[in-house]
Amino acid sequence: MSANTAMNVFAKAVVQCCCIPFEIKANDEVKASEDGLEAFYRLREIAQSNGMADMSLEEINEEIRLARTKRKR
């Protein structure tokens, strides 16, 4: 079945059912996403404690540029 045919079959099923024609479940990726969010909050706390929480986008990009320059050496 081509991708075009598959999309047409899917679209027709959605119209007929008035819903997505299959069950959607969360899997282990949800846990990974939660772990990533926890890591983000920890990093934000560290940034706040180091006085870096109010950096502008330009300052953040400059920090990234400097880190990349050091890594290339």
Side-chain angles (χ1 to χ4, degrees):
M1 177 183 304
S2 70
N4 189 39
T5 300
M7 286 302 298
N8 286 334
V9 169
F10 173 73
K12 288 178 183 178
V14 169
V15 171
Q16 289 175 349
C17 297
C18 295
C19 65
I20 296 175
F22 50 84
E23 185 177 0
I24 299 175
K25 294 182 182 181
N27 56 24
D28 292 338
E29 291 179 21
V30 171
K31 175 69 172 127
S33 177
E34 290 171 358
D35 290 344
L37 191 57
E38 288 175 22
F40 168 76
Y41 287 131
R42 282 195 305 271
L43 288 172
R44 190 165 70 174
E45 288 173 8
I46 292 168
Q48 286 175 337
S49 67
N50 290 329
M52 302 179 85
D54 296 325
M55 292 177 70
S56 69
L57 180 57
E58 290 80 17
E59 292 169 324
I60 293 168
N61 285 331
E62 180 62 15
E63 289 286 325
I64 292 169
R65 187 190 67 73
L66 290 172
R68 288 178 176 164
T69 301
K70 288 180 184 176
R71 189 173 34 165
K72 288 180 182 178
R73 292 181 188 169

